[in-house]
C-alpha cells in the first residue's frame, strides 16, 4: 500500500468518485502473485482493481448525466469509440482499450478516490447494495458468456470451475431457463453455494470422475460447457461431456500459455469453441437482473476486509483459503 495525492478532475468529462466497495478478482491476484498476465506486466507501484462501487463526489464542467451524491457502478473498460472494433460494436476489443487496473492501460480502483470519464459511470437504483454494485462487473461477464452461447431455455449445461465467474454464469443461465446445470469445483464450500443457488448436480474432480458421472446421468450429453477455472483438466472434461454439435465457452484464464485439445473428439463431435473476452454492454442488464431479483448474488461475497487489510484479502484469494468465493474490500470499515 502507498500514499498518493487524491486524484483531481483534469478533463471536463471526468467524474471524481469516492470508492465504497471493491471486489477482489482472480486477475488482480494474478498480477499480485505473478506480476503479469500474459504480455501485461506490472511496474510497481500500481493499483489494480476493476470491480468497483462508489459515490460521485464531483463532476467536470460538461458532465450532464451524472451528479455529485449519485451511487454508481463503474464500467472498467475505456474504449476509444473510433477504431474499427469500436465502430463494429466490439468496444471490449478496442484497439486502444484502457482497462482499469491493467498495467500500461489505467490505474485500478483499489484506491480511496478515482477519476473516471462520465461514460464509464453507471447510476444505480437505491435498492442495490454497494456489494451488488461491485458484483455487477463479474456478473456482467457471466451474462455475456451465456448470451454468446445458446438460448438457455431447456438447455443442459456444464460449468467447470465455480468461482465468482462460474457463479456469474450459473445465475443468469438459470434465470433464462437452463433445465439442468452440472457444476464442478475443487472447493466443497463453493459446491455448497452452487447447490443452494440452483445447480442440479455438483462434483469435485479430486474425488469423482467428472466425465463418467455426467455421462451416466446424461447419456446424450450436454449442450454447452463453460470453462471457468483456467485448468487443462476442465477443458478435457468439457470435451468429454459435450454432445455432438456442442459449444465450449472458454472464460477461465490459465496460468500457462497454450491449451491442448483432443483433435479426435473435437472433430468427431464438431465442437465449436468460443473465447469470452470480458463482456460488452452487460453491466446494465446485470444490474437490472439483481434489481428485479431474477438473480440472487447474496451468497457470492464470503469475506470482507477493510482497505488497510487489502493484503490479507489478496493472500486469502491467492491461496483459495477458507472456501473463499468473493472477497470484498469495504472502504467504510
Ligand atoms: Zn474481474
Ligand atoms: Zn476503439
Amino acid at each position: 500500500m502507498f500514499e498518493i495525492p487524491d486524484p483531481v478532475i483534469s478533463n471536463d468529462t471526468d467524474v471524481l468518485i469516492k470508492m465504497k466497495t471493491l471486489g477482489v478478482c482472480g486477475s488482480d491476484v494474478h498480477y499480485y502473485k505473478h506480476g503479469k498476465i500474459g504480455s501485461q506486466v506490472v511496474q510497481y507501484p500500481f493499483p489494480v482493481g476493476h470491480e468497483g462501487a462508489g459515490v460521485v463526489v464531483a463532476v467536470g464542467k460538461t458532465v450532464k448525466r451524472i451528479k455529485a451524491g449519485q451511487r454508481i457502478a463503474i464500467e472498467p473498460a475505456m474504449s476509444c469509440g473510433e477504431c474499427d472494433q469500436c465502430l463494429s460494436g466490439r468496444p471490449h476489443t478496442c484497439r486502444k482499450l484502457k482497462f482499469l487496473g491493467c498495467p500500461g492501460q489505467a490505474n485500478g480502483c483499489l484506491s480511496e478516490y478515482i477519476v473516471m470519464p462520465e461514460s464509464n459511470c453507471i447510476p444505480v437504483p437505491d435498492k442495490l447494495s454497494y456489494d451488488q454494485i461491485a458484483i455487477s462487473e463479474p456478473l456482467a461477464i457471466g451474462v455475456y458468456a451465456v448470451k454468446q452461447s445458446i438460448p438457455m431455455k431447456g438447455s443442459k449445461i456444464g460449468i467447470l470451475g465455480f468461482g465468482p465467474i462460474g457463479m456469474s454464469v450459473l445465475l443468469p443461465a438459470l434465470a433464462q431457463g437452463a433445465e439442468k446445470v452440472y457444476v464442478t469445483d475443487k472447493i466443497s464450500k463453493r459446491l455448497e453455494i452452487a447447490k443452494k443457488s440452483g445447480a442440479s448436480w455438483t462434483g469435485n474432480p479430486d474425488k469423482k470422475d467428472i466425465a463418467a458421472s455426467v455421462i451416466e446421468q446424461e447419456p446424450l450429453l450436454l449442450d454447452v460447457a463453460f470453462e471457468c477455472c483456467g485448468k487443462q483438466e476442465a477443458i478435457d472434461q468439457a470435451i468429454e461431456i459435450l454432445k455432438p454439435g456442442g459449444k465450449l465457452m472458454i472464460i477461465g484464464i490459465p496460468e500457462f500459455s497454450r491449451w491442448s485439445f483432443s483433435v479426435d473428439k473435437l472433430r468427431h463431435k464438431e465442437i465449436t469453441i468460443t473465447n469470452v473476452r470480458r463482456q460488452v454492454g452487460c453491466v446494465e442488464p446485470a444490474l437490472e437482473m439483481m434489481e428485479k431479483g431474477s438473480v440472487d448474488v447474496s451468497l457470492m461475497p464470503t469475506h470482507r476486509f477493510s482497505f488497510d487489510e487489502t493484503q490479507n484479502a489478496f493472500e486469502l484469494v491467492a491461496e483459495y483459503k477458507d472456501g473463499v468465493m468473493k472477497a470484498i474490500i469495504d472502504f467504510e470499515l
Side-chain angles (χ1 to χ4, degrees):
M1 196 151 306
F2 51 94
E3 288 290 334
I4 51 164
D6 287 340
V8 289
I9 290 179
S10 48
N11 299 311
D12 289 346
T13 51
D14 283 347
V15 173
L16 177 64
I17 302 158
K18 183 173 173 24
M19 291 297 297
K20 291 290 185 178
T21 57
L22 176 88
V24 178
C25 178
S27 67
D28 300 333
V29 171
H30 204 104
Y31 285 127
Y32 171 74
K33 241 170 62 177
H34 304 283
K36 60 172 187 167
I37 292 181
S39 54
Q40 287 158 335
V41 183
V42 174
Q43 303 282 351
Y44 185 83
F46 176 74
V48 293
H50 56 266
E51 301 178 2
V55 62
V56 175
V57 179
V59 299
K61 279 191 207 111
T62 60
V63 171
K64 293 215 172 64
R65 203 169 45 85
I66 305 289
K67 291 182 186 65
Q70 239 167 1
R71 304 157 81 240
I72 53 155
I74 298 162
E75 158 61 67
M78 292 172 271
S79 48
C80 76
E82 290 165 1
C83 72
D84 63 321
Q85 295 294 303
C86 285
L87 293 177
S88 65
R90 299 185 48 90
H92 61 309
T93 51
C94 168
R95 307 273 179 177
K96 293 180 188 159
L97 187 70
K98 289 195 172 95
F99 194 88
L100 274 196
C102 249
Q105 299 182 9
N107 283 355
C109 51
L110 182 51
S111 198
E112 287 160 293
Y113 291 90
I114 63 160
V115 166
M116 289 295 286
E118 174 185 23
S119 50
N120 288 74
C121 300
I122 304 169
V124 290
D126 290 342
K127 206 178 149 187
L128 295 179
S129 69
Y130 282 116
D131 280 8
Q132 287 174 309
I133 300 171
I135 287 170
S136 68
E137 199 275 335
L139 182 60
I141 295 171
V143 170
Y144 176 68
V146 167
K147 190 174 152 204
Q148 297 301 95
S149 65
I150 58 164
M152 283 291 114
K153 202 155 176 48
S155 66
K156 293 179 177 174
I157 71 174
I159 298 175
L160 299 120
F162 198 72
I165 294 296
M167 185 168 183
S168 296
V169 168
L170 175 74
L171 298 175
L174 286 172
Q176 289 163 31
E179 186 186 315
K180 282 263 174 114
V181 187
Y182 292 81
V183 172
T184 70
D185 202 276
K186 295 189 172 184
I187 300 174
S188 52
K189 278 195 181 165
R190 288 180 168 185
L191 295 179
E192 283 165 30
I193 295 176
K195 271 271 173 207
K196 284 184 192 152
S197 303
S200 336
W201 178 90
T202 61
N204 180 338
D206 285 341
K207 297 180 183 160
K208 258 185 205 149
D209 182 334
I210 296 300
S213 313
V214 174
I215 292 166
E216 197 189 319
Q217 297 170 79
E218 296 291 344
L220 295 181
L221 309 175
L222 306 182
D223 302 298
V224 188
F226 296 88
E227 196 293 319
C228 300
C229 55
K231 296 279 188 291
Q232 181 60 49
E233 62 180 288
I235 292 285
D236 296 339
Q237 290 153 5
I239 291 170
E240 292 285 338
I241 61 180
L242 276 171
K243 64 165 60 163
K247 209 162 177 182
L248 169 59
M249 309 297 295
I250 304 184
I251 316 168
I253 306 173
E255 292 196 349
F256 45 88
S257 57
R258 279 172 192 265
W259 290 117
S260 98
F261 300 98
S262 154
V263 173
D264 191 51
K265 295 231 164 74
L266 214 54
R267 247 170 41 76
H268 284 116
K269 292 190 187 177
E270 200 183 42
I271 286 170
T272 302
I273 301 177
T274 301
N275 280 280
V276 174
R277 177 57 170 162
R278 299 185 184 130
Q279 56 85 27
V280 53
C282 289
V283 175
E284 284 95 341
L287 288 164
E288 234 168 75
M289 285 179 192
M290 287 188 283
E291 196 197 352
K292 280 193 312 202
S294 61
V295 304
D296 176 6
V297 298
S298 60
L299 297 175
M300 194 186 290
T302 48
H303 295 77
R304 296 189 89 69
F305 295 87
S306 69
F307 184 46
D308 289 342
E309 295 165 335
T310 296
Q311 192 171 355
N312 299 348
F314 275 53
E315 299 288 347
L316 179 92
V317 176
E319 305 299 328
Y320 299 97
K321 278 186 211 151
D322 195 28
V324 61
M325 176 61 89
K326 175 66 75 189
I328 299 269
I329 307 289
D330 187 336
F331 290 82
E332 311 265 82
L333 281 180

